[in-house]
Amino acid sequence: MKRIPTNQLSNHAGEQVLVKGWVNRIRDMGGVHFLVLRDRTGTVQVVLEGGGLFNVALKPETALSVVGQVAVEPRAPSGIELRAEKIEMLSFPAEDLPFAVNQGATLRAGLDLIFNHRALSLRHPRLAAVFRIQAEIVHAFRTFLREQGFTEVHTPKIVAAGTEGGAELFPVRYFERPAYLAQSPQFYKQMLVGAGMERVFEVGHAYRAETHDTSRHLNEYVSLDLEMGFIDGVEDVMAVENKLLAILVEHLAKNCAREVSRLGATLPTVGQIPRVPLFEAQAAIKERHGKESPRGNLDPEGERLVSRWIEETRGSEWVFITHYPVTERPFYAMPALSEPELTESFDLLFRGLEVTTGGQRIHDYRRLVASICRFGLDPGDFEFYLDAFKYGMPPHGGLAIGLERLTMQLCGLDNVREASLFPRDRNRLTP
RNA sequence: GGCCCCGUAGUUCAGUUGGUUAGAACGCUUGCCUGUCACGCAAGAGGUCGACGGUUCGAGCCCGUUCGGGGUCGCCA
């Protein structure tokens, strides 16, 4: 007999069907038992009549297979129920659950416990909702970029040297040579632009060996990267992201309404995202709150204040912060035409958190070499990268979106770890 | 890594000025109940109060050390 997902049972009223799933809840009325059976699509009420007829031990989270009659029943929560005729226990919990996944709108357990029992905690619908949304974010990212002529690529995660010199790298032993986990696909996606692909994107892991231990940092995260050639300027890159986000949010509204409401989240609107030079943002929060910013940057409180300022004055939960100083950006950042101490770069803040970094890159070979030297780095260390710039590299730029950060902000989560299935942080390497 | 806060039942937490037998809710076990839907009712089990040391007649409570967790800052995206 073919298994029917619980969300399709209404199409099978009056038929005998096979359903499989987990016991979500048991209501023992003596002569009759009501089970709420949960599968990947939802839940259904299963009715067991006749007490000892089903000689099956039942506990929450038991994996079950049930054959029964689908009945239209006004007394059932969803209007239909399954009258069990045969029950087969597929797998019985070996231990009592460390927390209940069928109680209430939120899972009552600390983050540490949740991650220690990740496979179980993800059975809670609220936690599961986060990752359905995340999957749709990635889907929308892919679909949109493919339609815009981007090619999906996969670049190495084991590399010989770092990208930007700054961030800490995880060393790995690569046979007889030292190597590192890639902190970014930056070099490779630029090279592929120059390789004639023009427009590339990647959904891949990035690794940062920073010792940070905060609610917005992971040591392994998923980077939604894109890079595009033949741009007229950094505005083209911001325009692509603006359009991408508008379509992404629209996609979520259409496909994840249930998950969004289960999380109590509100999807943002995406209009024309304001673009504000860094110095202007710094001045605004200084004037409004007396907030001093670090030189050439915003600190976490500054990001929150700038977001609040833009939301109040421009009605946008998103804001591009532009024109970061050369000293605060990597060597490949394109200096601004108007002011060579600034760059054609941007960060995107969403609800008070940086979710994207992007910019135009230096495409001229000699200029790039000079920039590397100015940063105190050795061009010899970047030979394979520089080679791509020798033979007609077009003007280009791109960006990287932190998937977990975007997910976190869209879902209204307090900690970025909650937006990672199996987070890797300063203290956690398992599961 | 700095600073601040917190470690009490399986879980989330309360616990008064240091005082006798450490509580609640949910979960768990057993029994009753044929329309529940957070089912209900009755009974019950469950604690080295993170660990070690100290102060005290007496420590869950005060002090020190240590381990673990959370927040925040730094760094970073």
Side-chain angles (χ1 to χ4, degrees):
Chain A
M1 199 180 300
K2 196 178 155 212
R3 178 187 175 198
I4 308 294
T6 58
N7 68 346
Q8 283 168 38
L9 286 174
S10 53
N11 302 325
H12 297 268
E15 297 174 27
Q16 191 190 45
V17 299
L18 169 65
V19 170
K20 298 185 185 186
W22 290 270
V23 175
N24 189 62
R25 191 177 284 277
I26 303 160
R27 298 191 191 97
D28 176 1
M29 309 302 296
V32 62
H33 287 61
F34 297 97
L35 305 185
V36 177
L37 194 77
R38 185 190 68 244
D39 67 9
R40 68 179 188 279
T41 68
T43 58
V44 67
Q45 171 164 288
V46 178
V47 185
L48 281 67
E49 280 191 288
L53 187 62
F54 302 98
N55 198 16
V56 177
L58 289 174
K59 279 168 97 167
E61 301 310 314
T62 303
L64 275 191
S65 152
V66 183
V67 174
Q69 205 81 22
V70 180
V72 176
E73 170 55 72
R75 290 175 296 182
S78 65
I80 61 161
E81 64 186 20
L82 187 66
R83 307 252 163 87
E85 288 156 9
K86 195 178 135 212
I87 286 189
E88 189 187 348
M89 199 261 288
L90 301 174
S91 184
F92 192 71
E95 289 183 19
D96 285 345
L97 308 180
F99 44 73
V101 294
N102 62 356
Q103 295 287 120
T106 57
L107 176 53
R108 208 172 55 181
L111 275 190
D112 213 41
L113 192 67
I114 284 174
F115 291 123
N116 286 342
H117 303 279
R118 197 42 158 157
L120 179 63
S121 64
L122 285 169
R123 289 188 189 172
H124 193 284
R126 187 188 181 94
L127 276 64
V130 172
F131 297 98
R132 296 201 183 187
I133 289 171
Q134 187 167 80
E136 293 306 321
I137 291 171
V138 174
H139 180 77
F141 179 77
R142 282 204 165 99
T143 307
F144 171 76
L145 291 177
R146 288 171 60 99
E147 282 167 3
Q148 300 293 312
F150 285 76
T151 301
E152 180 162 13
V153 299
H154 304 281
T155 64
K157 301 304 161 215
I158 302 174
V159 299
T163 312
E164 307 166 22
E168 297 287 327
L169 298 164
F170 284 111
V172 298
R173 228 184 1 251
Y174 193 73
F175 304 109
E176 66 281 357
R177 277 179 292 174
Y180 304 93
L181 293 180
Q183 60 173 205
S184 156
Q186 185 62 34
F187 290 172
Y188 294 97
K189 62 181 184 171
Q190 286 185 260
M191 291 164 70
L192 292 171
V193 167
M197 300 176 91
E198 289 192 26
R199 298 177 161 207
V200 297
F201 74 91
E202 176 165 9
V203 179
H205 279 113
Y207 300 88
R208 302 287 165 97
E210 305 290 337
T211 57
H212 44 49
D213 187 10
T214 78
S215 56
R216 61 186 189 288
H217 289 99
L218 294 166
N219 291 294
E220 176 184 61
Y221 68 95
V222 175
S223 184
L224 303 178
D225 267 272
L226 68 86
E227 196 76 18
M228 53 197 288
F230 296 106
I231 61 173
D232 290 327
V234 68
E235 292 76 19
D236 291 357
V237 181
M238 287 189 274
V240 165
E241 179 161 34
N242 201 334
K243 185 87 187 293
L244 162 69
L245 291 169
I247 282 174
L248 189 151
V249 169
E250 197 181 315
H251 178 81
L252 294 182
K254 208 177 297 172
N255 296 284
C256 300
R258 238 180 51 182
E259 285 78 9
V260 168
S261 82
R262 188 172 317 264
L263 285 158
T266 313
L267 290 177
T269 56
V270 185
Q272 179 69 40
I273 298 176
R275 303 175 184 185
V276 181
L278 175 67
F279 74 87
E280 208 177 303
Q282 289 177 325
I285 58 175
K286 173 108 190 269
E287 193 195 317
R288 285 164 60 96
H289 304 100
K291 169 69 185 176
E292 293 286 350
S293 292
R295 208 160 50 82
N297 219 137
L298 297 168
D299 60 22
E301 188 192 14
E303 291 181 356
R304 291 190 288 269
L305 294 175
V306 168
S307 269
R308 198 200 301 172
W309 166 53
I310 292 297
E311 188 176 357
E312 285 171 13
T313 57
R314 311 279 291 273
S316 174
E317 294 187 279
W318 311 82
V319 55
F320 286 116
I321 306 298
T322 65
H323 297 90
Y324 284 80
V326 168
T327 52
E328 300 303 310
R329 295 304 235 200
F331 66 78
Y332 50 77
M334 178 69 96
L337 273 176
S338 52
E339 172 55 73
E341 290 312 306
L342 302 180
T343 56
E344 299 288 344
S345 67
F346 64 90
D347 279 3
L348 176 68
L349 306 185
F350 173 41
R351 293 177 175 165
L353 181 69
E354 177 184 337
V355 295
T356 293
T357 293
Q360 184 173 357
R361 330 296 188 187
I362 298 172
H363 57 274
D364 180 78
Y365 173 74
R366 284 181 185 78
R367 200 172 175 188
L368 187 56
V369 171
S371 182
I372 290 174
C373 293
R374 211 172 303 125
F375 270 73
L377 301 168
D378 179 3
D381 292 341
F382 300 94
E383 213 168 333
F384 78 95
Y385 171 63
L386 287 169
D387 186 64
F389 289 78
K390 287 178 181 168
Y391 315 107
M393 174 67 95
H396 66 283
L399 58 83
I401 302 172
L403 174 62
E404 294 87 350
R405 281 192 178 185
L406 179 60
T407 306
M408 163 189 181
Q409 294 304 84
L410 284 169
C411 293
L413 306 176
D414 293 328
N415 195 309
V416 73
R417 292 169 178 85
E418 299 174 71
S420 177
L421 285 168
F422 299 102
R424 290 291 176 264
D425 64 34
R426 187 74 180 83
N427 304 303
R428 183 171 288 280
L429 191 53
T430 57

